[in-house]
């Protein structure tokens, strides 16, 4: 590791200052050992310090998490129901393809909208547009409990109204 040309070059360039590294090493049995460490060269170019730790388990867990996130992304994109995720402030942080179809807008057009944005134009069947404090996000935030089966309509970008059954739930 400290003898590889790339590492020696970086150590020489940072002489006297520590250089952090993380590299895979091939084990005798053919497996991979991930090592995270710090090395430092003295002013005359001799390695004076190398401290390294086995981080193979952390890498394995990161790979598992990344694979899990990829699977979840595929599921969210392919479910036929519109899905919006709002952050604690009520701004859209995630939407799936079905949401784009329902709203007649691309995600780029509504990601970042706040729950109280007038462009939502949410309304129950027998009333005018809901005030921001009456919308599902506000109710869930106020009570901490999910809402199910709310009948609402929403204005699409082309002016058509879509009728929806809305569920809203807090995520811990």
């Amino acid at each position: 590791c400290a003898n590889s040309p790339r590492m020696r070059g970086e150590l020489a360039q940072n002489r006297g200052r520590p250089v952090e590294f993380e590299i895979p090493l091939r084990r005798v049995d053919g497996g991979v050992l991930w090592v995270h460490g710090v090395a430092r060269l003295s002013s005359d170019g001799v390695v004076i310090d190398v401290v390294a730790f086995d981080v193979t388990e952390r890498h394995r867990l990161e790979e598992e998490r990344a694979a899990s996130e990829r699977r979840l992304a595929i599921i969210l994109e392919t479910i036929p129901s519109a899905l919006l995720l709002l952050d604690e402030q009520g701004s859209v942080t995630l939407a799936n393809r079905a949401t784009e179809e329902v709203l007649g807008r691309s995600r780029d057009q509504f990601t970042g909208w706040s729950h109280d944005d007038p462009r939502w134009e949410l309304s129950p069947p027998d009333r005018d547009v809901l005030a921001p404090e009456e919308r599902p996000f506000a109710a869930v935030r106020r009570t901490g409990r999910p809402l199910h089966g709310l009948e609402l309509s929403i204005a699409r970008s082309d002016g058509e109204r879509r009728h929806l059954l809305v569920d809203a739930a807090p995520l811990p």
Side-chain angles (χ1 to χ4, degrees):
C1 153
N3 288 328
S4 77
R6 189 173 130 228
M7 180 60 97
R8 294 228 12 106
E10 195 171 339
L11 286 168
Q13 187 177 17
N14 291 293
R15 195 167 284 168
R17 292 186 316 246
V19 173
E20 197 168 342
F21 62 90
E22 192 157 306
I23 59 169
L25 299 174
R26 183 71 51 199
R27 295 187 330 210
V28 175
D29 66 3
V32 175
L33 173 74
W34 279 92
V35 176
H36 180 94
V38 177
R40 185 171 53 117
L41 280 183
S42 63
S43 58
D44 62 0
V46 177
V47 176
I48 58 171
D49 258 338
V50 177
V51 177
F53 301 94
D54 178 353
V55 292
T56 306
E57 181 64 10
R58 188 194 79 210
H59 266 266
R60 185 187 67 72
L61 293 172
E62 287 172 354
E63 288 171 5
E64 282 181 14
R65 187 182 94 211
S68 178
E69 287 173 356
R70 285 189 299 273
R71 286 189 300 272
L72 179 59
I74 290 168
I75 292 168
L76 294 177
E77 275 304 302
T78 58
I79 61 173
S81 298
L83 175 80
L84 281 175
L85 183 64
L86 283 68
D87 63 17
E88 290 180 4
Q89 290 72 43
S91 296
V92 175
T93 59
L94 181 140
N96 66 353
R97 188 173 301 130
T99 304
E100 290 179 314
E101 292 171 15
V102 167
L103 296 178
R105 293 177 167 90
S106 73
R107 278 171 252 212
D108 293 340
Q109 293 175 304
F110 60 84
T111 297
W113 284 13
S114 180
H115 75 97
D116 57 1
D117 193 300
R119 292 174 285 188
W120 290 118
E121 295 186 42
L122 281 170
S123 64
D126 57 347
R127 289 189 38 212
D128 290 333
V129 173
L130 292 173
E133 65 274 5
E134 298 175 296
R135 294 181 184 164
F137 174 83
V140 167
R141 190 169 192 198
R142 191 173 45 255
T143 66
R145 294 188 315 228
L147 297 171
H148 299 287
L150 295 171
E151 291 184 43
L152 297 173
S153 69
I154 192 164
R156 288 174 39 90
S157 61
D158 60 9
E160 176 191 347
R161 293 203 67 83
R162 284 279 172 99
H163 296 280
L164 312 169
L165 276 178
V166 175
D167 292 334
L171 293 177

